[in-house]
Amino acid sequence: MHKPAGILVSGNHFKTIANALVQNIKQSTLSDAARPQPVHRLDYATTGVLLVGKTNDSIRKLNKQFEQKNIEKIYYAVTIGHMNNEGIISSDIDNKQSQSKYKVIKTVSSERFNKLNLVQLEPLTGRRHQLRIHLSELGHPILGDKDYGIDHLILKGKGLYLHAYALKFKHPYTNETIYIKSKFPQRFSKIFGNI
């Protein structure tokens, strides 16, 4: 499913994706049907692809694929400043080793920010806020990031420019490779034109 910005995936709140799934996704007809539920997390402000399981077995198998890092995740972000074309960012987050690959796809000039970059990101580990922290540590925070941005460059009221673009994984029953993607938010296209 596509997750919009500004909604929690799960948690102790009424308005969450997890609570909305029951009314919006058809329940499985298999014998181990479960309440549909997300099998991974996206930050409150992040848009994009969210994987949902509908049976106990599929939820367990998909969770295992995430734990064993067998699911490829591709994100896109808009970052601030002049960046190297590509690289790997490594650091400790919460005392655990973390790594993210990045590649600059497109750069445009900006009066306020000097340069804005469309960056493809691949988290190689799965720490909380990993991509946001890594880009901030690199000195190129994500546009609109209130937590890890540079104070005088924080874009207010526009949200976080981080998008979960694609997931590649093995279907838990058929074992076929599934590749799902979510089109870019319109606000990305406003900056970079056709992406």
Side-chain angles (χ1 to χ4, degrees):
M1 73 164 286
H2 173 82
K3 178 199 169 295
I7 298 178
L8 291 168
V9 169
S10 58
N12 208 4
H13 298 272
F14 175 73
K15 189 179 177 185
T16 65
I17 297 288
N19 287 338
L21 289 174
V22 178
Q23 290 89 26
N24 292 290
I25 290 186
K26 191 175 177 182
Q27 192 155 3
S28 171
T29 57
L30 296 175
S31 60
D32 73 333
R35 179 184 169 124
Q37 64 179 332
V39 292
H40 65 117
R41 296 181 320 267
L42 291 177
D43 287 347
Y44 175 80
T46 303
T47 59
V49 174
L50 183 67
L51 197 54
V52 172
K54 296 182 2 177
T55 66
N56 289 316
D57 193 41
S58 68
I59 292 165
R60 190 172 37 76
K61 286 178 177 176
L62 290 169
N63 278 326
K64 192 169 187 175
Q65 285 186 56
F66 272 106
E67 284 169 23
Q68 295 176 340
K69 298 174 183 47
N70 293 329
I71 295 182
E72 290 179 40
K73 300 176 273 187
I74 302 292
Y75 290 76
Y76 280 88
V78 178
T79 65
I80 297 170
H82 178 76
M83 292 180 72
N84 291 335
N85 286 342
E86 58 186 74
I88 294 180
I89 310 162
S90 297
S91 70
D92 281 358
I93 296 175
D94 297 328
N95 297 316
K96 293 178 182 169
Q97 181 58 28
S98 62
Q99 276 195 321
S100 305
K101 282 170 63 173
Y102 76 90
K103 182 177 182 179
V104 176
I105 304 300
K106 201 171 188 179
T107 300
V108 296
S109 294
S110 165
E111 196 173 305
R112 180 170 176 196
F113 303 105
N114 185 18
K115 302 271 185 208
L116 290 174
N117 312 286
L118 178 65
V119 180
Q120 181 181 325
L121 299 155
E122 186 181 341
L124 303 176
T125 52
R127 311 289 175 236
R128 186 172 188 264
H129 294 179
Q130 176 176 313
L131 298 173
R132 296 167 64 189
I133 291 169
H134 276 168
L135 288 163
S136 179
E137 288 175 347
L138 203 59
H140 303 289
I142 297 173
L143 188 63
D145 195 333
K146 293 177 192 152
D147 297 324
Y148 303 101
I150 299 165
D151 280 344
H152 70 282
L153 293 179
I154 291 175
L155 192 63
K156 301 206 187 314
K158 301 286 185 182
L160 179 70
Y161 282 70
L162 178 61
H163 181 63
Y165 179 72
L167 289 173
K168 186 177 179 184
F169 61 98
K170 293 267 188 221
H171 190 285
Y173 293 118
T174 66
N175 228 17
E176 71 177 297
T177 299
I178 306 289
Y179 181 75
I180 52 176
K181 63 183 183 177
S182 175
K183 67 180 185 176
F184 284 100
Q186 193 173 3
R187 60 200 180 123
F188 279 52
S189 301
K190 282 182 181 174
I191 296 171
F192 298 103
N194 288 337
I195 303 170

